Amino acid sequence: MRHVDTSLLQALKAAPELQNQAAEALRKDGDRAPLTLRKAGIAPDLAAAALTLADLREHARTKFGERAENLYFTRAGLEQATRWVVAERRAARFARHADEVTDLCCGLGTEALAFAEAGMRVEAVDMSAETAEYAKANADATGLTVEIKVGDALKTPLLESAFADPARRSGAGRNFNPADYSPPLNDLLTHMSKTKFAALKLGPGISHEWIPEGAEAEWVSVDRDVVEACLWLGEAAEVKRRASLYKSGKWHELTGAGNEHAEVGEIADYLYEPDGAVIRAGLVAELAEQLAAHTANETIAYLYSNELRETPFARAWKVEEVWPLHPKKLRTLLAEREIGRLTIKQRGTGIDPAALRKQLKLKGANEATLVLTRLGEAHAAILCQEA
């Protein structure tokens, strides 16, 4: 195994006062923070490492809240790390069924920390010795017990449950083909079939074609942002498809077959835009049933109803006017209504909202939303206000 120089990480761990000093310099001095630390007699490489950590911790707040202040990050590791509310919820589901878990491709170890905090015995593995050192640093920082090893995920013996978060980036950027994950998805699925309860985190853009028979596929959104997909395998699979939404501090779930189709009808008084997790999970028809709604085109995920129902799974707009989708006519109609602030949404038209906005030359004090879509096969522009 090659030697990995983690001396700067170890130096930072041993100097909490330097961590605080770097964070303060970054807040107060911004781009001049490196000069501030050098004037304080701190070696340039250590100052740079401390400032990088302070910057990453600040960015990590969106995923980890106040926990970020004590954790150690790399830029690539933070990008792939699971948001804490998601990791915490997943760990709780694991803990209801198993006492121990193998965390494959553990990265910075944040998911392993959630398992440990849920009371599970955790063995975490990563191929990168450097990354494993960061995972160890995070376990030490939180006081949680996690056994961390350097090794090949596909050769690691599994405990009674297993979780994996394969790398989805390479030197060329993000990999959208699961065959290019590290390790490849199919190889991981084969290995994880050796344990009774398993889950595998994926990018939210995963195609349904990659979902194995018998697995549960879950899409997760946090405050309307679809952050990941997760395959639940073996005894962990409970339903075919699940959309899990975290909003205003609460979780909401919608489940179903994922292959149903909503009824098609005419435009109505209210337009619903389903959450992205609902759309990716293929649960628009299940949501339509809840809302007594229908689509106006079977390929487009907008729903319509004459009844307004409160739901965490969609945003709702009151339909005010429906116009033909002709930019010149839209410019005139919007000008007549003195609409100067306009949110433009589109599905199924191929129109670039940014390019259309330039053509509209908006002026006026009023505000509205314009939805570009298809009603049947006709292109339309729907003027509406959020309900």
Side-chain angles (χ1 to χ4, degrees):
M1 185 181 301
R2 70 181 180 87
H3 173 72
V4 176
D5 184 3
T6 57
S7 57
L8 287 175
L9 173 61
Q10 302 308 323
L12 287 175
K13 286 178 62 179
E17 69 285 351
L18 173 58
Q19 297 178 32
N20 295 333
Q21 189 177 359
E24 183 68 13
L26 200 60
R27 279 193 296 269
K28 286 187 174 181
D29 304 324
D31 293 341
R32 295 180 59 82
L35 180 60
T36 301
L37 294 189
R38 286 199 295 272
K39 285 182 176 179
I42 300 167
D45 56 346
L46 186 56
L51 290 170
T52 296
L53 177 60
D55 181 59
L56 290 173
R57 283 176 169 173
E58 188 62 31
H59 283 87
R61 284 179 173 274
T62 58
K63 286 189 173 184
F64 297 97
E66 292 183 359
R67 291 173 180 269
E69 295 179 6
N70 298 313
L71 297 178
Y72 295 86
F73 300 101
T74 63
R75 208 165 294 280
L78 176 57
E79 183 172 335
Q80 182 151 329
T82 302
R83 291 172 185 253
W84 184 256
V85 291
V86 179
E88 187 177 44
R89 174 174 173 269
R90 180 157 43 227
R93 182 169 170 178
F94 265 80
R96 288 195 294 269
H97 298 272
D99 296 321
E100 55 185 15
V101 60
T102 305
D103 182 3
L104 302 172
C105 318
C106 72
L108 301 180
T110 52
E111 200 101 32
L113 299 181
F115 288 127
E117 194 168 279
M120 302 184 74
R121 174 182 166 233
V122 186
E123 289 186 0
V125 179
D126 200 275
M127 179 68 80
S128 165
E130 179 182 12
T131 301
E133 286 298 322
Y134 274 85
K136 290 177 183 177
N138 286 328
D140 292 342
T142 56
L144 293 167
T145 301
V146 178
E147 184 179 349
I148 300 166
K149 303 176 182 178
V150 178
D152 185 340
L154 300 179
K155 296 178 181 178
T156 299
L158 304 180
L159 298 174
E160 64 172 319
S161 71
F163 172 76
D165 183 5
R168 295 180 292 280
R169 294 191 69 87
S170 66
R174 187 171 297 173
N175 288 323
F176 294 98
N177 184 350
D180 295 330
Y181 288 179
S182 180
L185 176 56
N186 280 340
D187 293 344
L188 264 178
L189 289 170
T190 299
H191 185 51
M192 297 179 77
S193 67
K194 299 171 185 175
T195 189
K196 66 177 184 178
F197 192 98
L200 203 158
K201 176 184 168 184
L202 304 169
I206 185 75
S207 168
H208 285 226
E209 297 173 357
W210 284 91
I211 300 171
E213 188 67 28
E216 172 188 325
E218 176 189 31
W219 276 263
V220 181
S221 74
V222 176
D223 296 328
R224 297 176 179 166
D225 180 20
V226 184
V227 295
E228 68 168 64
C230 183
L231 295 183
W232 294 89
L233 310 168
E235 295 178 10
E238 298 175 347
V239 296
K240 288 191 70 173
R241 302 288 183 267
R242 187 189 308 267
S244 300
L245 285 61
Y246 185 77
K247 291 183 177 179
S248 303
K250 294 182 179 180
W251 282 101
H252 308 272
E253 295 184 1
L254 182 66
T255 61
N259 57 5
E260 301 295 327
H261 298 282
E263 292 185 5
V264 180
E266 301 295 325
I267 193 170
D269 292 340
Y270 295 95
L271 180 155
Y272 291 93
E273 180 184 26
D275 186 276
V278 173
I279 296 172
R280 290 183 183 272
L283 298 175
V284 173
E286 284 80 353
L287 178 58
E289 184 175 356
Q290 283 191 8
L291 298 175
H294 56 266
T295 64
N297 181 296
E298 63 181 9
T299 66
I300 299 175
Y302 288 132
L303 296 174
Y304 304 89
S305 176
N306 286 324
E307 180 182 349
L308 178 62
R309 295 187 181 182
E310 186 174 350
T311 176
F313 300 109
R315 298 174 69 185
W317 281 266
K318 178 71 172 69
V319 174
E320 296 188 339
E321 299 185 65
V322 182
W323 301 327
L325 212 174
H326 300 304
K328 289 184 179 179
K329 291 182 179 179
L330 291 177
R331 177 179 171 183
T332 300
L333 292 166
L334 292 167
E336 289 173 354
R337 288 151 184 78
E338 298 183 346
I339 295 174
R341 290 171 294 167
L342 186 68
T343 299
I344 303 175
K345 296 177 170 289
Q346 88 82 29
R347 282 205 180 119
T349 68
I351 291 177
D352 178 2
L356 176 62
R357 183 181 300 279
K358 292 179 180 179
Q359 296 179 58
L360 296 177
K361 299 182 179 179
L362 300 166
K363 291 181 181 180
N366 295 325
E367 183 175 3
T369 296
L370 190 68
V371 177
L372 315 177
T373 187
R374 296 205 310 271
L375 304 177
E377 294 306 314
H379 288 63
I382 304 171
L383 188 72
C384 49
Q385 296 285 348
E386 189 155 12

